[in-house]
Coordinates of all heavy atoms in Angstrom, one line a residue:
M1 N 26.1 147.0 162.6 CA 26.1 148.0 163.8 C 27.4 148.7 163.8 O 27.5 149.9 164.2 CB 25.8 147.2 165.0 CG 25.7 148.1 166.3 SD 24.4 149.3 166.2 CE 23.1 148.3 166.9
E2 N 28.5 148.0 163.4 CA 29.8 148.7 163.4 C 29.9 149.9 162.5 O 30.4 150.9 162.9 CB 30.9 147.7 163.0 CG 32.3 148.2 163.2 CD 33.4 147.2 162.9 OE1 33.2 146.0 163.1 OE2 34.4 147.6 162.4
K3 N 29.3 149.8 161.4 CA 29.3 150.9 160.4 C 28.4 152.1 161.0 O 28.8 153.3 160.9 CB 28.8 150.5 159.1 CG 28.9 151.5 158.0 CD 30.4 151.9 157.8 CE 30.6 153.0 156.8 NZ 32.0 153.4 156.7
I4 N 27.3 151.7 161.6 CA 26.5 152.8 162.2 C 27.3 153.5 163.4 O 27.2 154.7 163.5 CB 25.2 152.2 162.8 CG1 24.3 151.8 161.6 CG2 24.4 153.2 163.7 CD1 23.1 151.0 161.9
R5 N 28.0 152.7 164.1 CA 28.8 153.3 165.2 C 29.9 154.3 164.6 O 30.1 155.3 165.2 CB 29.5 152.2 166.0 CG 28.6 151.5 167.0 CD 29.4 150.5 167.8 NE 28.6 150.2 169.0 CZ 28.4 150.9 170.0 NH1 28.9 152.2 170.1 NH2 27.7 150.5 171.0
E6 N 30.5 153.9 163.5 CA 31.5 154.7 162.8 C 30.8 156.0 162.4 O 31.4 157.1 162.6 CB 32.1 154.0 161.6 CG 33.0 152.9 161.9 CD 33.5 152.2 160.7 OE1 33.5 152.8 159.6 OE2 33.9 151.0 160.8
L7 N 29.6 155.9 161.8 CA 28.9 157.1 161.3 C 28.5 158.0 162.5 O 28.6 159.3 162.4 CB 27.7 156.7 160.5 CG 28.0 156.0 159.2 CD1 26.8 155.5 158.5 CD2 28.8 157.0 158.2
I8 N 28.1 157.4 163.6 CA 27.8 158.2 164.8 C 29.1 159.0 165.3 O 29.0 160.2 165.6 CB 27.2 157.3 165.9 CG1 25.8 156.8 165.5 CG2 27.2 158.0 167.3 CD1 25.3 155.7 166.4
E9 N 30.2 158.3 165.4 CA 31.4 158.9 165.8 C 31.8 160.1 164.9 O 32.3 161.1 165.3 CB 32.6 157.9 165.8 CG 32.5 157.0 167.0 CD 33.7 156.1 167.1 OE1 34.9 156.6 166.9 OE2 33.5 154.9 167.4
Q10 N 31.6 159.9 163.6 CA 32.0 160.9 162.6 C 31.0 162.1 162.5 O 31.5 163.2 162.2 CB 32.2 160.3 161.2 CG 33.3 159.2 161.1 CD 33.2 158.4 159.8 OE1 32.4 158.7 159.0 NE2 34.1 157.5 159.7
H11 N 29.7 161.8 162.7 CA 28.8 162.9 162.3 C 27.8 163.3 163.4 O 27.2 164.4 163.3 CB 27.9 162.4 161.2 CG 28.7 162.0 159.9 ND1 29.1 163.0 159.1 CD2 29.1 160.9 159.4 CE1 29.8 162.4 158.1 NE2 29.8 161.1 158.3
A12 N 27.8 162.7 164.6 CA 26.8 163.0 165.6 C 27.3 164.2 166.5 O 26.6 164.6 167.4 CB 26.5 161.8 166.5
G13 N 28.6 164.6 166.4 CA 29.1 165.7 167.2 C 29.2 165.3 168.7 O 29.1 166.2 169.5
L14 N 29.4 164.1 169.0 CA 29.5 163.6 170.4 C 30.9 163.8 170.9 O 31.8 163.8 170.1 CB 29.0 162.2 170.5 CG 27.6 161.9 170.2 CD1 27.4 160.4 170.3 CD2 26.6 162.7 171.0
P15 N 31.1 163.9 172.2 CA 32.5 164.0 172.7 C 33.3 162.7 172.4 O 32.7 161.7 172.1 CB 32.3 164.2 174.2 CG 30.9 163.8 174.5 CD 30.1 163.9 173.2
P16 N 34.6 162.8 172.4 CA 35.4 161.6 172.2 C 35.0 160.4 173.0 O 34.5 160.6 174.1 CB 36.8 162.1 172.6 CG 36.8 163.5 172.4 CD 35.4 164.0 172.8
G17 N 35.1 159.2 172.5 CA 34.7 158.0 173.2 C 33.3 157.6 172.8 O 32.7 156.7 173.5
A18 N 32.7 158.1 171.8 CA 31.4 157.7 171.4 C 31.3 156.2 171.1 O 30.2 155.7 171.2 CB 30.9 158.6 170.2
G19 N 32.4 155.6 170.7 CA 32.4 154.2 170.4 C 32.1 153.4 171.6 O 31.7 152.2 171.5
E20 N 32.2 154.0 172.8 CA 32.0 153.3 174.0 C 30.5 153.4 174.5 O 30.2 152.8 175.5 CB 32.9 153.8 175.1 CG 34.4 153.5 174.8 CD 35.4 154.2 175.7 OE1 34.9 154.7 176.8 OE2 36.5 154.2 175.4
I21 N 29.8 154.2 173.8 CA 28.4 154.4 174.1 C 27.6 153.1 173.8 O 27.8 152.5 172.7 CB 27.8 155.6 173.4 CG1 28.4 156.9 173.9 CG2 26.3 155.6 173.5 CD1 28.0 158.1 173.2
A22 N 26.7 152.7 174.7 CA 25.9 151.5 174.5 C 25.0 151.7 173.3 O 24.6 152.8 173.0 CB 25.2 151.1 175.8
D23 N 24.6 150.6 172.8 CA 23.7 150.6 171.6 C 22.4 151.3 171.9 O 21.7 151.9 171.0 CB 23.4 149.2 171.1 CG 24.6 148.5 170.5 OD1 25.6 149.2 170.2 OD2 24.5 147.3 170.3
D24 N 21.9 151.3 173.2 CA 20.6 151.9 173.6 C 20.8 153.3 174.2 O 19.9 153.9 174.7 CB 19.8 151.0 174.4 CG 20.5 150.6 175.7 OD1 21.7 150.9 175.9 OD2 19.8 150.0 176.6
T25 N 22.0 153.8 174.3 CA 22.3 155.1 174.8 C 21.6 156.2 174.0 O 21.6 156.2 172.8 CB 23.8 155.5 174.9 OG1 24.4 154.5 175.7 CG2 24.1 156.9 175.4
D26 N 20.9 157.1 174.7 CA 20.2 158.2 174.0 C 21.2 159.2 173.5 O 21.9 159.9 174.3 CB 19.2 158.9 175.0 CG 18.4 160.0 174.4 OD1 18.9 160.7 173.5 OD2 17.2 160.0 174.8
L27 N 21.4 159.3 172.2 CA 22.4 160.1 171.6 C 22.1 161.6 171.8 O 23.1 162.4 172.0 CB 22.5 159.9 170.1 CG 22.9 158.4 169.7 CD1 22.8 158.2 168.2 CD2 24.3 158.1 170.2
Y28 N 20.9 162.0 172.0 CA 20.6 163.4 172.2 C 21.0 163.8 173.7 O 21.6 164.8 173.9 CB 19.1 163.7 172.1 CG 18.6 163.6 170.6 CD1 18.0 162.4 170.1 CD2 18.9 164.6 169.7 CE1 17.7 162.3 168.8 CE2 18.5 164.5 168.4 CZ 17.9 163.4 167.9 OH 17.6 163.3 166.6
R29 N 20.8 162.9 174.6 CA 21.2 163.1 176.0 C 22.7 163.1 176.1 O 23.3 163.7 176.9 CB 20.6 162.1 176.9 CG 19.2 162.3 177.2 CD 18.7 161.3 178.2 NE 17.3 161.4 178.4 CZ 16.7 161.9 179.5 NH1 17.4 162.3 180.5 NH2 15.4 162.0 179.6
A30 N 23.4 162.3 175.2 CA 24.8 162.3 175.1 C 25.5 163.5 174.5 O 26.7 163.6 174.5 CB 25.3 161.0 174.4
G31 N 24.6 164.4 173.9 CA 25.2 165.6 173.3 C 24.9 165.9 171.9 O 25.3 166.9 171.4
M32 N 24.2 165.0 171.2 CA 23.9 165.2 169.8 C 22.9 166.3 169.6 O 21.9 166.3 170.3 CB 23.4 163.9 169.1 CG 23.2 164.1 167.6 SD 22.9 162.6 166.7 CE 21.3 162.1 167.3
K33 N 23.2 167.3 168.8 CA 22.3 168.4 168.5 C 21.5 168.1 167.2 O 21.8 167.2 166.4 CB 23.1 169.7 168.3 CG 24.0 170.0 169.5 CD 23.2 170.4 170.7 CE 24.1 170.8 171.8 NZ 23.7 170.4 173.1
S34 N 20.5 169.0 167.0 CA 19.6 168.8 165.8 C 20.4 168.8 164.5 O 20.2 168.0 163.6 CB 18.5 169.8 165.8 OG 17.7 169.7 166.8
F35 N 21.3 169.8 164.3 CA 22.1 169.9 163.1 C 22.9 168.6 162.9 O 23.0 168.1 161.8 CB 23.0 171.1 163.1 CG 23.8 171.3 161.8 CD1 23.2 171.7 160.7 CD2 25.1 171.0 161.8 CE1 23.9 171.8 159.5 CE2 25.9 171.1 160.7 CZ 25.2 171.5 159.5
A36 N 23.5 168.1 163.9 CA 24.3 166.9 163.8 C 23.5 165.7 163.5 O 23.9 164.8 162.7 CB 25.1 166.6 165.2
S37 N 22.2 165.6 164.0 CA 21.4 164.5 163.6 C 21.0 164.5 162.1 O 20.9 163.5 161.5 CB 20.1 164.5 164.5 OG 19.2 165.6 164.1
V38 N 20.9 165.7 161.5 CA 20.7 165.8 160.1 C 21.9 165.4 159.3 O 21.8 164.6 158.4 CB 20.3 167.3 159.7 CG1 20.3 167.4 158.2 CG2 19.0 167.7 160.3
Q39 N 23.1 165.8 159.8 CA 24.3 165.3 159.2 C 24.5 163.8 159.3 O 24.9 163.1 158.3 CB 25.6 166.0 159.8 CG 25.6 167.5 159.7 CD 25.8 167.9 158.3 OE1 25.9 167.2 157.4 NE2 25.9 169.2 158.1
L40 N 24.1 163.2 160.4 CA 24.2 161.8 160.6 C 23.2 161.1 159.7 O 23.5 160.1 159.0 CB 23.9 161.5 162.1 CG 23.8 160.0 162.4 CD1 25.1 159.3 162.1 CD2 23.5 159.8 163.9
M41 N 22.0 161.6 159.6 CA 20.9 161.1 158.7 C 21.4 161.0 157.2 O 21.3 160.0 156.5 CB 19.7 161.9 158.7 CG 18.6 161.3 157.8 SD 17.3 162.6 157.4 CE 18.2 163.7 156.4
L42 N 22.0 162.1 156.8 CA 22.5 162.2 155.4 C 23.6 161.2 155.2 O 23.7 160.5 154.1 CB 23.0 163.6 155.1 CG 21.9 164.7 155.0 CD1 22.5 166.1 154.9 CD2 20.9 164.4 153.9
A43 N 24.5 161.0 156.1 CA 25.6 160.0 156.0 C 25.1 158.6 156.0 O 25.5 157.8 155.2 CB 26.6 160.2 157.2
I44 N 24.1 158.3 156.8 CA 23.4 157.0 156.8 C 22.8 156.7 155.5 O 22.9 155.6 154.9 CB 22.4 156.9 158.0 CG1 23.2 156.9 159.3 CG2 21.6 155.6 157.8 CD1 22.3 157.1 160.5
E45 N 22.0 157.7 155.0 CA 21.4 157.5 153.7 C 22.4 157.2 152.6 O 22.2 156.3 151.8 CB 20.6 158.8 153.3 CG 19.3 158.9 154.1 CD 18.5 160.1 153.6 OE1 19.0 161.1 153.1 OE2 17.2 160.1 153.8
E46 N 23.5 158.0 152.6 CA 24.5 157.8 151.5 C 25.2 156.4 151.7 O 25.4 155.7 150.7 CB 25.5 158.9 151.6 CG 26.6 158.8 150.5 CD 27.6 160.0 150.5 OE1 27.2 161.1 150.9 OE2 28.7 159.7 150.2
T47 N 25.6 156.1 152.9 CA 26.3 154.8 153.2 C 25.5 153.6 152.8 O 26.0 152.7 152.2 CB 26.7 154.8 154.6 OG1 27.6 155.9 154.9 CG2 27.5 153.5 155.0
F48 N 24.2 153.6 153.3 CA 23.4 152.4 153.1 C 22.5 152.5 151.9 O 21.7 151.6 151.6 CB 22.5 152.2 154.4 CG 23.4 151.8 155.6 CD1 23.7 152.7 156.5 CD2 23.8 150.5 155.7 CE1 24.5 152.4 157.6 CE2 24.6 150.2 156.8 CZ 24.9 151.1 157.7
E49 N 22.6 153.6 151.1 CA 21.8 153.8 149.9 C 20.3 153.6 150.2 O 19.6 152.8 149.5 CB 22.3 152.9 148.8 CG 23.7 153.1 148.4 CD 24.2 152.2 147.3 OE1 23.5 151.3 146.9 OE2 25.3 152.5 146.8
I50 N 19.9 154.4 151.2 CA 18.5 154.4 151.5 C 18.0 155.8 151.6 O 18.8 156.7 151.5 CB 18.2 153.7 152.9 CG1 19.0 154.4 154.0 CG2 18.5 152.2 152.8 CD1 18.7 153.9 155.4
E51 N 16.7 156.0 151.7 CA 16.2 157.3 152.0 C 15.1 157.2 153.1 O 14.2 156.4 153.0 CB 15.5 157.9 150.7 CG 15.1 159.3 150.8 CD 14.6 159.9 149.5 OE1 15.2 159.5 148.5 OE2 13.7 160.8 149.6
F52 N 15.3 158.1 154.1 CA 14.3 158.1 155.2 C 13.0 158.8 154.7 O 13.1 159.9 154.3 CB 14.9 158.8 156.4 CG 15.9 158.0 157.1 CD1 17.3 158.2 156.9 CD2 15.6 157.0 158.0 CE1 18.3 157.5 157.5 CE2 16.6 156.3 158.7 CZ 17.9 156.5 158.4
P53 N 11.9 158.1 154.8 CA 10.6 158.8 154.5 C 10.3 159.8 155.6 O 10.8 159.7 156.7 CB 9.6 157.6 154.5 CG 10.2 156.6 155.4 CD 11.7 156.7 155.2
E54 N 9.5 160.8 155.2 CA 9.1 161.9 156.1 C 8.7 161.4 157.5 O 9.0 162.0 158.5 CB 8.1 162.7 155.4 CG 7.8 164.0 156.2 CD 6.9 165.0 155.5 OE1 6.9 164.9 154.2 OE2 6.3 165.8 156.1
E55 N 7.9 160.3 157.5 CA 7.3 159.8 158.8 C 8.4 159.3 159.7 O 8.2 159.1 160.9 CB 6.2 158.8 158.6 CG 6.6 157.6 157.9 CD 6.4 157.6 156.4 OE1 6.2 158.7 155.8 OE2 6.6 156.5 155.7
M56 N 9.6 159.0 159.2 CA 10.7 158.5 160.0 C 11.7 159.6 160.5 O 12.6 159.4 161.2 CB 11.5 157.4 159.3 CG 10.7 156.1 159.1 SD 11.6 154.8 158.4 CE 12.6 154.2 159.8
L57 N 11.4 160.8 160.0 CA 12.3 162.0 160.3 C 11.9 162.5 161.7 O 11.2 163.6 161.8 CB 12.2 163.0 159.2 CG 12.7 162.6 157.9 CD1 12.6 163.7 156.9 CD2 14.1 162.0 157.9
N58 N 12.3 161.8 162.7 CA 11.9 162.3 164.1 C 13.0 161.8 165.0 O 13.9 161.0 164.7 CB 10.6 161.8 164.5 CG 10.5 160.3 164.4 OD1 11.3 159.5 165.0 ND2 9.5 159.8 163.6
R59 N 13.0 162.3 166.3 CA 14.0 162.0 167.3 C 14.1 160.6 167.6 O 15.1 160.0 167.8 CB 13.7 162.8 168.5 CG 14.1 164.3 168.4 CD 13.8 165.1 169.7 NE 14.7 164.8 170.7 CZ 15.7 165.6 171.1 NH1 15.8 166.8 170.5 NH2 16.5 165.3 172.1
A60 N 12.9 159.9 167.6 CA 12.9 158.5 168.0 C 13.7 157.6 167.0 O 14.4 156.7 167.4 CB 11.4 158.0 168.0
T61 N 13.7 158.0 165.7 CA 14.5 157.2 164.7 C 16.0 157.3 165.0 O 16.7 156.3 164.7 CB 14.1 157.7 163.3 OG1 12.7 157.5 163.1 CG2 14.9 156.9 162.2
F62 N 16.4 158.4 165.4 CA 17.9 158.7 165.6 C 18.3 158.8 167.0 O 19.4 159.2 167.4 CB 18.2 160.0 164.9 CG 17.9 159.9 163.4 CD1 16.7 160.4 162.9 CD2 18.7 159.3 162.5 CE1 16.4 160.3 161.6 CE2 18.4 159.2 161.2 CZ 17.2 159.7 160.7
R63 N 17.5 158.3 168.0 CA 17.7 158.4 169.4 C 18.9 157.6 169.8 O 19.7 158.0 170.7 CB 16.5 158.0 170.2 CG 16.7 158.1 171.7 CD 15.4 157.9 172.4 NE 14.3 158.7 171.9 CZ 14.0 159.9 172.2 NH1 14.7 160.6 173.0 NH2 12.9 160.5 171.7
S64 N 19.1 156.4 169.2 CA 20.2 155.5 169.7 C 20.7 154.7 168.5 O 20.1 154.7 167.4 CB 19.7 154.5 170.7 OG 18.8 153.7 170.2
A65 N 21.9 154.1 168.7 CA 22.4 153.2 167.6 C 21.5 152.1 167.3 O 21.3 151.8 166.1 CB 23.8 152.7 168.0
S66 N 20.8 151.6 168.3 CA 19.9 150.5 168.1 C 18.7 151.0 167.2 O 18.2 150.3 166.3 CB 19.3 149.9 169.4 OG 20.4 149.3 170.1
A67 N 18.2 152.1 167.6 CA 17.0 152.7 166.8 C 17.4 152.9 165.3 O 16.6 152.6 164.4 CB 16.5 154.0 167.5
I68 N 18.6 153.5 165.1 CA 19.1 153.7 163.8 C 19.2 152.4 163.0 O 18.8 152.3 161.9 CB 20.4 154.5 163.8 CG1 20.2 155.9 164.4 CG2 21.1 154.5 162.4 CD1 21.5 156.6 164.7
A69 N 19.8 151.4 163.7 CA 20.0 150.1 163.0 C 18.7 149.5 162.6 O 18.5 148.9 161.6 CB 20.8 149.1 164.0
Q70 N 17.7 149.6 163.5 CA 16.4 149.1 163.2 C 15.8 149.8 162.0 O 15.2 149.1 161.1 CB 15.5 149.2 164.4 CG 14.1 148.6 164.2 CD 13.2 148.8 165.5 OE1 13.6 149.4 166.5 NE2 12.0 148.2 165.4
A71 N 15.9 151.1 161.9 CA 15.4 151.9 160.8 C 16.1 151.5 159.5 O 15.4 151.3 158.5 CB 15.5 153.4 161.1
V72 N 17.4 151.4 159.6 CA 18.2 151.0 158.4 C 17.8 149.6 157.9 O 17.5 149.4 156.7 CB 19.7 151.0 158.7 CG1 20.5 150.4 157.6 CG2 20.1 152.5 158.9
E73 N 17.6 148.7 158.8 CA 17.2 147.3 158.5 C 15.8 147.3 157.8 O 15.6 146.7 156.8 CB 17.2 146.4 159.7 CG 16.9 145.0 159.4 CD 16.9 144.1 160.6 OE1 17.7 144.4 161.5 OE2 16.2 143.1 160.6
Q74 N 14.9 148.1 158.4 CA 13.6 148.2 157.9 C 13.6 148.8 156.5 O 12.9 148.2 155.6 CB 12.7 149.0 158.8 CG 11.3 149.2 158.3 CD 10.5 150.2 159.2 OE1 10.9 150.6 160.3 NE2 9.3 150.5 158.8
L75 N 14.3 149.8 156.3 CA 14.3 150.5 154.9 C 15.1 149.6 153.9 O 14.7 149.6 152.8 CB 15.0 151.9 155.1 CG 14.1 152.9 155.9 CD1 14.9 154.1 156.1 CD2 12.8 153.1 155.1
S76 N 16.2 149.0 154.4 CA 17.0 148.1 153.4 C 16.2 146.9 153.0 O 16.2 146.6 151.8 CB 18.3 147.7 154.1 OG 19.1 148.8 154.4
S77 N 15.4 146.3 153.9 CA 14.7 145.1 153.5 C 13.5 145.5 152.6 O 13.0 144.7 151.8 CB 14.2 144.3 154.7 OG 13.3 145.1 155.5
G78 N 13.0 146.7 152.8 CA 11.8 147.1 152.0 C 12.2 147.9 150.7 O 11.3 148.1 149.9
S79 N 13.4 148.2 150.5 CA 13.8 148.9 149.3 C 14.1 148.0 148.1 O 14.5 146.9 148.3 CB 15.0 149.8 149.6 OG 16.2 149.0 149.9
M80 N 13.8 148.5 147.0 CA 14.0 147.7 145.7 C 15.3 148.2 145.1 O 15.6 149.4 145.2 CB 12.8 148.0 144.8 CG 11.5 147.6 145.4 SD 11.3 145.8 145.7 CE 10.6 145.3 144.2
A81 N 16.0 147.3 144.5 CA 17.2 147.7 143.7 C 16.8 148.6 142.6 O 15.8 148.4 141.9 CB 17.9 146.5 143.3
A82 N 17.6 149.6 142.4 CA 17.3 150.6 141.3 C 17.8 150.1 140.0 O 18.7 149.3 139.9 CB 17.9 151.9 141.6

């Protein structure tokens, strides 16, 4: 979760203090825009060496740190080593 928080701070375009946002805080309500969510998604994919399938490319997947962590865990556990 700590790494996800770092990525949110770096890429979500939120105001300073994003590290203080609760795990279930709605990032879109906190100020994340669509372009920033794409930047965040790309950073997550690169960091965790995963790829979000098309069906996961929606607001619900990136709504909060908890939702992102759940998606990363799901994709990491289901991915095969290359």
Side-chain angles (χ1 to χ4, degrees):
M1 185 62 87
E2 185 175 329
K3 188 60 180 172
I4 290 171
R5 286 185 162 286
E6 288 177 26
L7 293 172
I8 289 170
E9 285 186 41
Q10 294 170 3
H11 300 283
L14 299 177
E20 298 173 10
I21 290 178
D23 291 347
D24 61 349
T25 297
D26 186 320
L27 298 174
Y28 291 100
R29 287 183 184 251
M32 183 168 71
K33 305 291 185 217
S34 294
F35 181 74
S37 68
V38 172
Q39 298 292 3
L40 178 57
M41 178 202 68
L42 294 173
I44 292 166
E45 287 184 333
E46 183 177 329
T47 300
F48 293 99
E49 298 181 352
I50 58 173
E51 185 173 329
F52 288 97
E54 188 173 335
E55 61 269 13
M56 291 183 82
L57 299 180
N58 56 57
R59 287 178 72 103
T61 301
F62 302 95
R63 183 171 311 275
S64 67
S66 293
I68 294 168
Q70 183 178 5
V72 168
E73 183 177 332
Q74 179 183 352
L75 292 173
S76 296
S77 66
S79 64
M80 303 294 267

